[in-house]
Amino acid sequence: MASASTGGTGISSSGDLVKKVGSFQEYVYSECSMDDLSPSKISVEEVHKIAILDIRIMNADRNVANIMCQRIPEDPDHFRLIPIDHGYSLRSVCDVAWFDWCWLDWPQTKVPLGKKARDYVLNLDIDEDVRLLKERLGMGDDVLDYYRVSCMILKSGVKAGLTLYEIASGILCRTDPSGECIGATFLDHTKDTFL
């Protein structure tokens, strides 16, 4: 709700824009969440999209209730995935555990990336993303360092031919909830060299 001092316009009496903090969300129709479906109803490409996003932003809260599903009209037995709730993403800690990514044990993550997903990952411009995140959202260096590392690990893993399962479970996730993620160790050892 706009403050009364701006007359609800977000513009002060002197004509200056008033900075407001909030979130903007688009409503997207869905029929259900992944709570209601078997992963067998989801294509490899759809699962890969969610996994790539979560690895890039180190989302520590991708549970089945945070993935909405839309039936594909041309193929009514299958669904398109819509990720929601990114509140535990782009953080200043690297503490994602195996149980934070519901898709990690889905069979699709063990399938090699298709050409489109592979090209997408290999063509990510990490430095440009970091610039935009800093400039437009004011993110701090600690957050951006972890973002940069997660993207570097993702790109390197894809380049080496690893599956998303291998990248996520073998490199980025903590297997011991009280342990440290390899990404944090990588950042500690390479910060001065690469960042």
Side-chain angles (χ1 to χ4, degrees):
M1 181 173 215
S3 73
S5 65
T6 65
T9 65
I11 300 172
S12 70
S13 58
S14 65
D16 297 328
L17 288 177
V18 176
K19 182 178 179 178
K20 295 182 178 186
V21 177
S23 68
F24 181 76
Q25 300 171 10
E26 177 183 2
Y27 173 80
V28 177
Y29 171 78
S30 65
E31 296 183 50
C32 58
S33 73
M34 279 305 297
D35 265 337
D36 305 311
L37 290 178
S38 162
S40 66
K41 295 288 188 182
I42 310 300
S43 72
V44 169
E45 292 78 19
E46 286 295 310
V47 173
H48 284 183
K49 287 180 197 177
I50 300 290
I52 289 167
L53 171 67
D54 286 346
I55 290 170
R56 288 184 70 199
I57 63 175
M58 292 299 285
N59 183 357
D61 187 27
R62 180 62 70 211
N63 61 69
V64 290
N66 287 342
I67 302 177
M68 306 310 292
C69 306
Q70 288 179 336
R71 192 175 301 274
I72 299 172
E74 307 80 42
D75 186 7
D77 286 339
H78 290 87
F79 293 80
R80 181 175 297 110
L81 301 180
I82 301 118
I84 63 168
D85 188 359
H86 299 93
Y88 286 102
S89 302
L90 294 169
R91 299 171 314 125
S92 60
V93 294
C94 184
D95 63 353
V96 174
W98 63 270
F99 52 80
D100 291 321
W101 287 335
C102 65
W103 47 259
L104 189 58
D105 63 350
W106 296 353
Q108 295 93 324
T109 63
K110 296 177 182 175
V111 174
L113 268 70
K115 181 177 176 13
K116 185 176 179 180
R118 182 177 167 77
D119 289 347
Y120 170 79
V121 170
L122 294 178
N123 288 304
L124 289 172
D125 187 342
I126 300 168
D127 292 330
E128 178 62 10
D129 289 346
V130 166
R131 185 189 69 74
L132 287 171
L133 290 168
K134 185 172 190 128
E135 180 182 293
R136 295 193 181 167
L137 299 179
M139 293 194 166
D141 289 339
D142 52 347
V143 171
L144 296 173
D145 288 346
Y146 279 118
Y147 173 79
R148 189 179 283 114
V149 166
S150 66
C151 289
M152 288 170 57
I153 290 171
L154 176 62
K155 281 182 86 163
S156 297
V158 168
K159 189 174 185 178
L162 299 178
T163 65
L164 293 172
Y165 176 81
E166 291 167 326
I167 294 166
S169 66
I171 301 171
L172 287 173
C173 284
R174 296 174 298 142
T175 53
D176 173 7
S178 62
E180 189 172 60
C181 137
I182 293 176
T185 305
F186 179 81
L187 178 61
D188 290 341
H189 293 294
T190 61
K191 196 169 193 172
D192 294 331
T193 307
F194 293 109
L195 305 178

Short mmCIF file of all heavy atoms in Angstrom, two decimals, residues 35-99:
data_model
loop_
_atom_site.label_atom_id
_atom_site.label_comp_id
_atom_site.label_asym_id
_atom_site.label_seq_id
_atom_site.Cartn_x
_atom_site.Cartn_y
_atom_site.Cartn_z
N ASP A 35 3.23 -32.30 -4.96
CA ASP A 35 2.68 -33.12 -3.87
C ASP A 35 1.70 -34.16 -4.41
O ASP A 35 1.56 -35.24 -3.84
CB ASP A 35 1.88 -32.24 -2.90
CG ASP A 35 2.68 -31.78 -1.71
OD1 ASP A 35 3.67 -32.43 -1.37
OD2 ASP A 35 2.29 -30.75 -1.13
N ASP A 36 1.02 -33.80 -5.49
CA ASP A 36 -0.07 -34.61 -6.01
C ASP A 36 0.31 -35.51 -7.18
O ASP A 36 -0.54 -36.25 -7.67
CB ASP A 36 -1.20 -33.68 -6.48
CG ASP A 36 -1.65 -32.74 -5.38
OD1 ASP A 36 -1.90 -33.22 -4.26
OD2 ASP A 36 -1.72 -31.52 -5.64
N LEU A 37 1.55 -35.42 -7.64
CA LEU A 37 1.94 -36.15 -8.84
C LEU A 37 3.17 -37.02 -8.60
O LEU A 37 4.00 -36.72 -7.75
CB LEU A 37 2.29 -35.18 -9.97
CG LEU A 37 1.17 -34.41 -10.62
CD1 LEU A 37 1.74 -33.49 -11.69
CD2 LEU A 37 0.14 -35.34 -11.23
N SER A 38 3.29 -38.00 -9.45
CA SER A 38 4.51 -38.80 -9.50
C SER A 38 5.48 -38.11 -10.46
O SER A 38 5.05 -37.58 -11.50
CB SER A 38 4.18 -40.20 -10.04
OG SER A 38 5.34 -40.84 -10.48
N PRO A 39 6.77 -38.11 -10.18
CA PRO A 39 7.73 -37.54 -11.12
C PRO A 39 7.67 -38.20 -12.51
O PRO A 39 8.13 -37.62 -13.49
CB PRO A 39 9.08 -37.79 -10.45
CG PRO A 39 8.77 -37.88 -9.00
CD PRO A 39 7.41 -38.52 -8.93
N SER A 40 7.08 -39.37 -12.60
CA SER A 40 6.99 -40.04 -13.90
C SER A 40 6.08 -39.28 -14.87
O SER A 40 6.13 -39.52 -16.08
CB SER A 40 6.46 -41.47 -13.73
OG SER A 40 5.13 -41.46 -13.26
N LYS A 41 5.30 -38.33 -14.37
CA LYS A 41 4.42 -37.51 -15.22
C LYS A 41 5.13 -36.26 -15.75
O LYS A 41 4.52 -35.44 -16.42
CB LYS A 41 3.18 -37.08 -14.43
CG LYS A 41 2.29 -38.23 -14.03
CD LYS A 41 1.58 -38.77 -15.24
CE LYS A 41 0.52 -39.79 -14.86
NZ LYS A 41 -0.11 -40.34 -16.04
N ILE A 42 6.42 -36.13 -15.42
CA ILE A 42 7.17 -34.94 -15.79
C ILE A 42 8.30 -35.33 -16.74
O ILE A 42 9.02 -36.30 -16.50
CB ILE A 42 7.77 -34.25 -14.53
CG1 ILE A 42 6.69 -34.06 -13.45
CG2 ILE A 42 8.45 -32.95 -14.89
CD1 ILE A 42 5.51 -33.21 -13.84
N SER A 43 8.49 -34.53 -17.79
CA SER A 43 9.54 -34.83 -18.76
C SER A 43 10.92 -34.53 -18.18
O SER A 43 11.07 -33.76 -17.22
CB SER A 43 9.34 -34.00 -20.04
OG SER A 43 9.65 -32.64 -19.79
N VAL A 44 11.90 -35.12 -18.77
CA VAL A 44 13.30 -34.87 -18.39
C VAL A 44 13.61 -33.39 -18.50
O VAL A 44 14.22 -32.79 -17.60
CB VAL A 44 14.26 -35.70 -19.29
CG1 VAL A 44 15.70 -35.27 -19.09
CG2 VAL A 44 14.09 -37.19 -19.02
N GLU A 45 13.18 -32.76 -19.58
CA GLU A 45 13.48 -31.34 -19.82
C GLU A 45 12.89 -30.45 -18.72
O GLU A 45 13.53 -29.50 -18.27
CB GLU A 45 12.96 -30.89 -21.18
CG GLU A 45 13.67 -31.52 -22.36
CD GLU A 45 13.24 -32.98 -22.64
OE1 GLU A 45 12.16 -33.40 -22.17
OE2 GLU A 45 14.02 -33.69 -23.31
N GLU A 46 11.66 -30.75 -18.29
CA GLU A 46 11.03 -29.95 -17.23
C GLU A 46 11.78 -30.07 -15.91
O GLU A 46 12.00 -29.08 -15.22
CB GLU A 46 9.56 -30.34 -17.05
CG GLU A 46 8.65 -29.86 -18.16
CD GLU A 46 8.54 -28.36 -18.23
OE1 GLU A 46 8.27 -27.72 -17.20
OE2 GLU A 46 8.71 -27.81 -19.34
N VAL A 47 12.19 -31.28 -15.57
CA VAL A 47 12.95 -31.48 -14.33
C VAL A 47 14.30 -30.79 -14.43
O VAL A 47 14.75 -30.13 -13.49
CB VAL A 47 13.11 -32.99 -14.01
CG1 VAL A 47 14.03 -33.20 -12.82
CG2 VAL A 47 11.74 -33.62 -13.75
N HIS A 48 14.94 -30.88 -15.58
CA HIS A 48 16.24 -30.23 -15.77
C HIS A 48 16.12 -28.71 -15.60
O HIS A 48 17.02 -28.09 -15.01
CB HIS A 48 16.83 -30.59 -17.13
CG HIS A 48 17.38 -31.97 -17.17
ND1 HIS A 48 18.02 -32.48 -18.28
CD2 HIS A 48 17.41 -32.98 -16.26
CE1 HIS A 48 18.40 -33.73 -18.05
NE2 HIS A 48 18.03 -34.05 -16.82
N LYS A 49 15.05 -28.11 -16.10
CA LYS A 49 14.87 -26.66 -15.94
C LYS A 49 14.85 -26.27 -14.46
O LYS A 49 15.51 -25.30 -14.05
CB LYS A 49 13.56 -26.21 -16.58
CG LYS A 49 13.56 -26.19 -18.08
CD LYS A 49 12.18 -25.73 -18.56
CE LYS A 49 11.92 -26.04 -20.00
NZ LYS A 49 10.55 -25.64 -20.40
N ILE A 50 14.10 -27.00 -13.66
CA ILE A 50 14.00 -26.70 -12.22
C ILE A 50 15.35 -26.92 -11.54
O ILE A 50 15.80 -26.10 -10.74
CB ILE A 50 12.91 -27.56 -11.55
CG1 ILE A 50 11.54 -27.30 -12.17
CG2 ILE A 50 12.90 -27.35 -10.03
CD1 ILE A 50 10.94 -25.96 -11.88
N ALA A 51 16.00 -28.03 -11.87
CA ALA A 51 17.28 -28.35 -11.23
C ALA A 51 18.34 -27.31 -11.58
O ALA A 51 19.11 -26.88 -10.72
CB ALA A 51 17.73 -29.75 -11.66
N ILE A 52 18.39 -26.90 -12.84
CA ILE A 52 19.37 -25.87 -13.25
C ILE A 52 19.12 -24.58 -12.49
O ILE A 52 20.06 -23.96 -11.97
CB ILE A 52 19.32 -25.66 -14.78
CG1 ILE A 52 19.92 -26.87 -15.50
CG2 ILE A 52 20.05 -24.38 -15.19
CD1 ILE A 52 19.64 -26.91 -17.01
N LEU A 53 17.87 -24.16 -12.40
CA LEU A 53 17.53 -22.95 -11.65
C LEU A 53 17.97 -23.07 -10.19
O LEU A 53 18.66 -22.19 -9.66
CB LEU A 53 16.03 -22.68 -11.71
CG LEU A 53 15.52 -21.56 -10.80
CD1 LEU A 53 16.06 -20.21 -11.24
CD2 LEU A 53 14.00 -21.55 -10.76
N ASP A 54 17.60 -24.17 -9.55
CA ASP A 54 17.92 -24.33 -8.13
C ASP A 54 19.42 -24.39 -7.87
O ASP A 54 19.90 -23.87 -6.86
CB ASP A 54 17.23 -25.57 -7.57
CG ASP A 54 15.74 -25.37 -7.38
OD1 ASP A 54 15.27 -24.22 -7.41
OD2 ASP A 54 15.04 -26.38 -7.19
N ILE A 55 20.16 -25.03 -8.76
CA ILE A 55 21.62 -25.08 -8.59
C ILE A 55 22.20 -23.68 -8.75
O ILE A 55 23.05 -23.26 -7.96
CB ILE A 55 22.25 -26.07 -9.60
CG1 ILE A 55 21.87 -27.51 -9.22
CG2 ILE A 55 23.76 -25.89 -9.67
CD1 ILE A 55 22.24 -28.55 -10.27
N ARG A 56 21.76 -22.95 -9.75
CA ARG A 56 22.29 -21.60 -9.98
C ARG A 56 22.07 -20.69 -8.78
O ARG A 56 22.98 -19.96 -8.37
CB ARG A 56 21.64 -20.96 -11.21
CG ARG A 56 22.10 -21.58 -12.50
CD ARG A 56 21.52 -20.86 -13.69
NE ARG A 56 22.13 -19.55 -13.80
CZ ARG A 56 21.61 -18.54 -14.50
NH1 ARG A 56 20.47 -18.70 -15.14
NH2 ARG A 56 22.23 -17.38 -14.56
N ILE A 57 20.85 -20.72 -8.22
CA ILE A 57 20.53 -19.80 -7.13
C ILE A 57 20.66 -20.45 -5.75
O ILE A 57 20.36 -19.82 -4.75
CB ILE A 57 19.13 -19.18 -7.32
CG1 ILE A 57 18.03 -20.24 -7.27
CG2 ILE A 57 19.08 -18.37 -8.61
CD1 ILE A 57 16.61 -19.69 -7.34
N MET A 58 21.15 -21.70 -5.73
CA MET A 58 21.33 -22.45 -4.49
C MET A 58 20.09 -22.36 -3.60
O MET A 58 20.15 -22.02 -2.42
CB MET A 58 22.59 -21.99 -3.75
CG MET A 58 23.89 -22.34 -4.46
SD MET A 58 24.14 -24.10 -4.70
CE MET A 58 24.60 -24.60 -3.06
N ASN A 59 18.95 -22.68 -4.19
CA ASN A 59 17.68 -22.66 -3.48
C ASN A 59 17.68 -23.75 -2.41
O ASN A 59 17.80 -24.92 -2.72
CB ASN A 59 16.54 -22.89 -4.47
CG ASN A 59 15.18 -22.80 -3.84
OD1 ASN A 59 15.04 -22.61 -2.64
ND2 ASN A 59 14.16 -22.94 -4.65
N ALA A 60 17.52 -23.35 -1.18
CA ALA A 60 17.56 -24.31 -0.07
C ALA A 60 16.16 -24.71 0.41
O ALA A 60 16.01 -25.18 1.53
CB ALA A 60 18.36 -23.73 1.09
N ASP A 61 15.17 -24.55 -0.46
CA ASP A 61 13.80 -24.90 -0.05
C ASP A 61 12.97 -25.34 -1.26
O ASP A 61 11.86 -24.88 -1.46
CB ASP A 61 13.13 -23.72 0.64
CG ASP A 61 11.77 -24.08 1.24
OD1 ASP A 61 11.55 -25.25 1.58
OD2 ASP A 61 10.92 -23.18 1.34
N ARG A 62 13.51 -26.25 -2.06
CA ARG A 62 12.74 -26.76 -3.19
C ARG A 62 12.07 -28.06 -2.77
O ARG A 62 12.59 -29.14 -2.98
CB ARG A 62 13.62 -26.97 -4.42
CG ARG A 62 12.84 -27.51 -5.62
CD ARG A 62 11.75 -26.60 -6.13
NE ARG A 62 12.37 -25.44 -6.74
CZ ARG A 62 11.83 -24.23 -6.75
NH1 ARG A 62 10.66 -24.02 -6.19
NH2 ARG A 62 12.46 -23.23 -7.32
N ASN A 63 10.91 -27.90 -2.16
CA ASN A 63 10.12 -29.07 -1.80
C ASN A 63 8.99 -29.23 -2.80
O ASN A 63 8.76 -28.35 -3.63
CB ASN A 63 9.63 -28.96 -0.35
CG ASN A 63 8.74 -27.75 -0.17
OD1 ASN A 63 7.63 -27.69 -0.68
ND2 ASN A 63 9.24 -26.75 0.57
N VAL A 64 8.28 -30.35 -2.73
CA VAL A 64 7.25 -30.64 -3.72
C VAL A 64 6.10 -29.63 -3.70
O VAL A 64 5.42 -29.45 -4.72
CB VAL A 64 6.71 -32.09 -3.60
CG1 VAL A 64 7.75 -33.08 -4.03
CG2 VAL A 64 6.21 -32.37 -2.19
N ALA A 65 5.88 -28.95 -2.59
CA ALA A 65 4.82 -27.94 -2.52
C ALA A 65 5.24 -26.64 -3.21
O ALA A 65 4.40 -25.78 -3.46
CB ALA A 65 4.44 -27.67 -1.07
N ASN A 66 6.52 -26.50 -3.53
CA ASN A 66 7.04 -25.30 -4.19
C ASN A 66 7.22 -25.49 -5.69
O ASN A 66 7.94 -24.74 -6.33
CB ASN A 66 8.37 -24.86 -3.56
CG ASN A 66 8.16 -24.25 -2.20
OD1 ASN A 66 7.07 -23.86 -1.85
ND2 ASN A 66 9.23 -24.18 -1.42
N ILE A 67 6.58 -26.51 -6.22
CA ILE A 67 6.57 -26.72 -7.67
C ILE A 67 5.12 -26.93 -8.08
O ILE A 67 4.49 -27.93 -7.73
CB ILE A 67 7.41 -27.94 -8.10
CG1 ILE A 67 8.87 -27.80 -7.64
CG2 ILE A 67 7.34 -28.11 -9.62
CD1 ILE A 67 9.72 -29.01 -7.97
N MET A 68 4.59 -25.96 -8.81
CA MET A 68 3.23 -26.05 -9.31
C MET A 68 3.25 -26.75 -10.67
O MET A 68 4.26 -26.72 -11.38
CB MET A 68 2.60 -24.66 -9.44
CG MET A 68 2.66 -23.84 -8.14
SD MET A 68 2.07 -24.70 -6.67
CE MET A 68 0.35 -24.86 -7.04
N CYS A 69 2.13 -27.36 -11.03
CA CYS A 69 2.07 -28.17 -12.26
C CYS A 69 0.90 -27.74 -13.14
O CYS A 69 -0.22 -27.58 -12.65
CB CYS A 69 1.90 -29.64 -11.90
SG CYS A 69 3.17 -30.24 -10.77
N GLN A 70 1.20 -27.56 -14.41
CA GLN A 70 0.19 -27.27 -15.42
C GLN A 70 0.13 -28.42 -16.40
O GLN A 70 1.17 -28.84 -16.93
CB GLN A 70 0.56 -26.02 -16.24
CG GLN A 70 0.45 -24.72 -15.56
CD GLN A 70 0.88 -23.59 -16.50
OE1 GLN A 70 1.63 -23.77 -17.45
NE2 GLN A 70 0.40 -22.39 -16.20
N ARG A 71 -1.07 -28.91 -16.66
CA ARG A 71 -1.24 -29.98 -17.65
C ARG A 71 -0.88 -29.44 -19.03
O ARG A 71 -1.24 -28.32 -19.38
CB ARG A 71 -2.68 -30.47 -17.64
CG ARG A 71 -2.91 -31.75 -18.40
CD ARG A 71 -4.33 -32.24 -18.26
NE ARG A 71 -4.72 -32.49 -16.88
CZ ARG A 71 -4.49 -33.64 -16.23
NH1 ARG A 71 -3.88 -34.63 -16.83
NH2 ARG A 71 -4.88 -33.78 -14.97
N ILE A 72 -0.16 -30.23 -19.82
CA ILE A 72 0.21 -29.84 -21.18
C ILE A 72 -0.95 -30.23 -22.11
O ILE A 72 -1.26 -31.42 -22.22
CB ILE A 72 1.53 -30.53 -21.60
CG1 ILE A 72 2.67 -30.09 -20.67
CG2 ILE A 72 1.86 -30.22 -23.06
CD1 ILE A 72 3.97 -30.83 -20.86
N PRO A 73 -1.60 -29.25 -22.73
CA PRO A 73 -2.79 -29.56 -23.53
C PRO A 73 -2.55 -30.58 -24.65
O PRO A 73 -3.39 -31.43 -24.90
CB PRO A 73 -3.18 -28.20 -24.14
CG PRO A 73 -2.54 -27.18 -23.27
CD PRO A 73 -1.31 -27.83 -22.70
N GLU A 74 -1.38 -30.52 -25.27
CA GLU A 74 -1.08 -31.45 -26.36
C GLU A 74 -0.77 -32.86 -25.86
O GLU A 74 -0.76 -33.81 -26.63
CB GLU A 74 0.13 -30.96 -27.19
CG GLU A 74 0.03 -29.55 -27.73
CD GLU A 74 0.37 -28.49 -26.67
OE1 GLU A 74 1.33 -28.66 -25.89
OE2 GLU A 74 -0.37 -27.49 -26.63
N ASP A 75 -0.45 -32.96 -24.57
CA ASP A 75 -0.10 -34.25 -23.97
C ASP A 75 -0.67 -34.29 -22.55
O ASP A 75 0.05 -34.11 -21.57
CB ASP A 75 1.43 -34.41 -23.95
CG ASP A 75 1.88 -35.77 -23.48
OD1 ASP A 75 1.02 -36.66 -23.28
OD2 ASP A 75 3.10 -35.95 -23.31
N PRO A 76 -1.99 -34.49 -22.41
CA PRO A 76 -2.66 -34.33 -21.12
C PRO A 76 -2.20 -35.25 -20.00
O PRO A 76 -2.55 -35.04 -18.85
CB PRO A 76 -4.14 -34.58 -21.44
CG PRO A 76 -4.23 -34.89 -22.88
CD PRO A 76 -2.88 -34.83 -23.50
N ASP A 77 -1.39 -36.26 -20.32
CA ASP A 77 -0.86 -37.13 -19.28
C ASP A 77 0.40 -36.56 -18.64
O ASP A 77 0.92 -37.14 -17.68
CB ASP A 77 -0.56 -38.52 -19.84
CG ASP A 77 -1.82 -39.32 -20.08
OD1 ASP A 77 -2.86 -39.00 -19.49
OD2 ASP A 77 -1.75 -40.28 -20.88
N HIS A 78 0.92 -35.46 -19.18
CA HIS A 78 2.16 -34.87 -18.66
C HIS A 78 1.95 -33.41 -18.29
O HIS A 78 0.99 -32.78 -18.72
CB HIS A 78 3.28 -35.04 -19.69
CG HIS A 78 3.70 -36.46 -19.80
ND1 HIS A 78 3.09 -37.36 -20.65
CD2 HIS A 78 4.65 -37.16 -19.14
CE1 HIS A 78 3.65 -38.55 -20.52
NE2 HIS A 78 4.60 -38.46 -19.60
N PHE A 79 2.91 -32.89 -17.50
CA PHE A 79 2.75 -31.57 -16.90
C PHE A 79 3.99 -30.70 -17.10
O PHE A 79 5.11 -31.20 -17.20
CB PHE A 79 2.48 -31.72 -15.40
CG PHE A 79 1.15 -32.35 -15.09
CD1 PHE A 79 0.97 -33.72 -15.17
CD2 PHE A 79 0.07 -31.55 -14.75
CE1 PHE A 79 -0.25 -34.30 -14.89
CE2 PHE A 79 -1.16 -32.13 -14.46
CZ PHE A 79 -1.33 -33.50 -14.55
N ARG A 80 3.75 -29.41 -17.12
CA ARG A 80 4.80 -28.38 -17.15
C ARG A 80 4.99 -27.94 -15.70
O ARG A 80 4.02 -27.83 -14.94
CB ARG A 80 4.31 -27.22 -18.01
CG ARG A 80 5.27 -26.08 -18.17
CD ARG A 80 4.74 -25.02 -19.15
NE ARG A 80 4.59 -25.58 -20.49
CZ ARG A 80 3.41 -25.82 -21.10
NH1 ARG A 80 2.28 -25.55 -20.49
NH2 ARG A 80 3.36 -26.33 -22.31
N LEU A 81 6.22 -27.66 -15.30
CA LEU A 81 6.53 -27.26 -13.92
C LEU A 81 6.70 -25.76 -13.80
O LEU A 81 7.33 -25.12 -14.66
CB LEU A 81 7.80 -27.97 -13.44
CG LEU A 81 7.77 -29.49 -13.46
CD1 LEU A 81 9.11 -30.05 -12.96
CD2 LEU A 81 6.62 -30.03 -12.63
N ILE A 82 6.19 -25.21 -12.72
CA ILE A 82 6.34 -23.79 -12.41
C ILE A 82 6.91 -23.68 -11.00
O ILE A 82 6.24 -24.01 -10.02
CB ILE A 82 4.99 -23.04 -12.48
CG1 ILE A 82 4.38 -23.17 -13.86
CG2 ILE A 82 5.17 -21.57 -12.13
CD1 ILE A 82 3.07 -23.86 -13.86
N PRO A 83 8.15 -23.22 -10.89
CA PRO A 83 8.74 -23.09 -9.55
C PRO A 83 8.19 -21.85 -8.84
O PRO A 83 7.99 -20.81 -9.45
CB PRO A 83 10.24 -22.93 -9.85
CG PRO A 83 10.28 -22.30 -11.21
CD PRO A 83 9.08 -22.83 -11.95
N ILE A 84 7.93 -21.99 -7.54
CA ILE A 84 7.48 -20.86 -6.73
C ILE A 84 8.30 -20.82 -5.44
O ILE A 84 9.01 -21.76 -5.12
CB ILE A 84 5.97 -20.94 -6.40
CG1 ILE A 84 5.66 -22.18 -5.55
CG2 ILE A 84 5.13 -20.92 -7.68
CD1 ILE A 84 4.26 -22.19 -4.95
N ASP A 85 8.18 -19.73 -4.72
CA ASP A 85 8.80 -19.56 -3.40
C ASP A 85 10.31 -19.70 -3.46
O ASP A 85 10.87 -20.77 -3.26
CB ASP A 85 8.21 -20.54 -2.39
CG ASP A 85 8.70 -20.24 -0.97
OD1 ASP A 85 9.49 -19.29 -0.79
OD2 ASP A 85 8.30 -20.97 -0.05
N HIS A 86 10.96 -18.59 -3.69
CA HIS A 86 12.41 -18.56 -3.78
C HIS A 86 13.03 -17.79 -2.61
O HIS A 86 14.07 -17.16 -2.73
CB HIS A 86 12.84 -17.98 -5.13
CG HIS A 86 12.33 -18.80 -6.26
ND1 HIS A 86 11.15 -18.52 -6.90
CD2 HIS A 86 12.80 -19.93 -6.82
CE1 HIS A 86 10.92 -19.43 -7.82
NE2 HIS A 86 11.90 -20.29 -7.81
N GLY A 87 12.36 -17.84 -1.47
CA GLY A 87 12.80 -17.10 -0.29
C GLY A 87 14.12 -17.55 0.29
O GLY A 87 14.80 -16.79 0.96
N TYR A 88 14.49 -18.80 0.06
CA TYR A 88 15.78 -19.30 0.57
C TYR A 88 16.77 -19.48 -0.58
O TYR A 88 17.46 -20.48 -0.67
CB TYR A 88 15.57 -20.63 1.31
CG TYR A 88 14.93 -20.44 2.66
CD1 TYR A 88 13.59 -20.70 2.86
CD2 TYR A 88 15.67 -19.95 3.73
CE1 TYR A 88 12.99 -20.51 4.09
CE2 TYR A 88 15.09 -19.76 4.97
CZ TYR A 88 13.74 -20.04 5.14
OH TYR A 88 13.16 -19.84 6.36
N SER A 89 16.83 -18.48 -1.43
CA SER A 89 17.73 -18.50 -2.58
C SER A 89 18.65 -17.29 -2.53
O SER A 89 18.35 -16.31 -1.87
CB SER A 89 16.91 -18.43 -3.88
OG SER A 89 16.02 -19.49 -3.97
N LEU A 90 19.76 -17.40 -3.25
CA LEU A 90 20.71 -16.30 -3.34
C LEU A 90 21.06 -15.77 -1.94
O LEU A 90 20.87 -14.61 -1.63
CB LEU A 90 20.17 -15.18 -4.22
CG LEU A 90 19.99 -15.53 -5.69
CD1 LEU A 90 19.19 -14.46 -6.42
CD2 LEU A 90 21.33 -15.76 -6.38
N ARG A 91 21.57 -16.67 -1.14
CA ARG A 91 21.89 -16.33 0.25
C ARG A 91 23.40 -16.23 0.44
O ARG A 91 24.17 -16.58 -0.44
CB ARG A 91 21.28 -17.38 1.18
CG ARG A 91 19.77 -17.39 1.05
CD ARG A 91 19.07 -18.53 1.75
NE ARG A 91 19.69 -19.81 1.52
CZ ARG A 91 20.10 -20.62 2.51
NH1 ARG A 91 19.95 -20.31 3.76
NH2 ARG A 91 20.66 -21.77 2.22
N SER A 92 23.80 -15.81 1.60
CA SER A 92 25.22 -15.61 1.89
C SER A 92 25.85 -16.82 2.57
O SER A 92 26.95 -16.73 3.11
CB SER A 92 25.42 -14.37 2.75
OG SER A 92 24.72 -14.52 3.97
N VAL A 93 25.14 -17.94 2.56
CA VAL A 93 25.68 -19.20 3.09
C VAL A 93 25.47 -20.29 2.05
O VAL A 93 24.57 -20.22 1.24
CB VAL A 93 25.01 -19.62 4.42
CG1 VAL A 93 25.34 -18.64 5.53
CG2 VAL A 93 23.52 -19.75 4.25
N CYS A 94 26.33 -21.27 2.10
CA CYS A 94 26.23 -22.41 1.19
C CYS A 94 25.90 -23.62 2.03
O CYS A 94 26.79 -24.33 2.48
CB CYS A 94 27.55 -22.59 0.44
SG CYS A 94 27.51 -23.88 -0.79
N ASP A 95 24.61 -23.82 2.28
CA ASP A 95 24.24 -24.89 3.20
C ASP A 95 23.13 -25.80 2.65
O ASP A 95 22.38 -26.39 3.39
CB ASP A 95 23.81 -24.30 4.54
CG ASP A 95 22.57 -23.42 4.44
OD1 ASP A 95 22.11 -23.15 3.31
OD2 ASP A 95 22.06 -22.99 5.48
N VAL A 96 23.04 -25.91 1.34
CA VAL A 96 22.03 -26.77 0.74
C VAL A 96 22.38 -28.22 1.05
O VAL A 96 23.51 -28.67 0.84
CB VAL A 96 21.94 -26.56 -0.78
CG1 VAL A 96 20.99 -27.56 -1.41
CG2 VAL A 96 21.49 -25.15 -1.09
N ALA A 97 21.40 -28.95 1.57
CA ALA A 97 21.59 -30.37 1.87
C ALA A 97 20.79 -31.19 0.87
O ALA A 97 19.91 -30.68 0.17
CB ALA A 97 21.13 -30.67 3.29
N TRP A 98 21.07 -32.47 0.81
CA TRP A 98 20.42 -33.36 -0.15
C TRP A 98 18.90 -33.30 -0.05
O TRP A 98 18.20 -33.41 -1.03
CB TRP A 98 20.92 -34.79 0.02
CG TRP A 98 20.58 -35.38 1.36
CD1 TRP A 98 21.34 -35.33 2.50
CD2 TRP A 98 19.38 -36.05 1.72
NE1 TRP A 98 20.69 -35.92 3.55
CE2 TRP A 98 19.47 -36.39 3.09
CE3 TRP A 98 18.22 -36.41 1.04
CZ2 TRP A 98 18.47 -37.05 3.78
CZ3 TRP A 98 17.21 -37.08 1.72
CH2 TRP A 98 17.36 -37.39 3.07
N PHE A 99 18.38 -33.08 1.15
CA PHE A 99 16.92 -33.08 1.33
C PHE A 99 16.27 -31.74 0.97
O PHE A 99 15.06 -31.62 1.00
CB PHE A 99 16.55 -33.47 2.77
CG PHE A 99 17.26 -32.67 3.83
CD1 PHE A 99 16.84 -31.40 4.17
CD2 PHE A 99 18.38 -33.21 4.47
CE1 PHE A 99 17.49 -30.66 5.15
CE2 PHE A 99 19.04 -32.49 5.45
CZ PHE A 99 18.60 -31.21 5.79
#
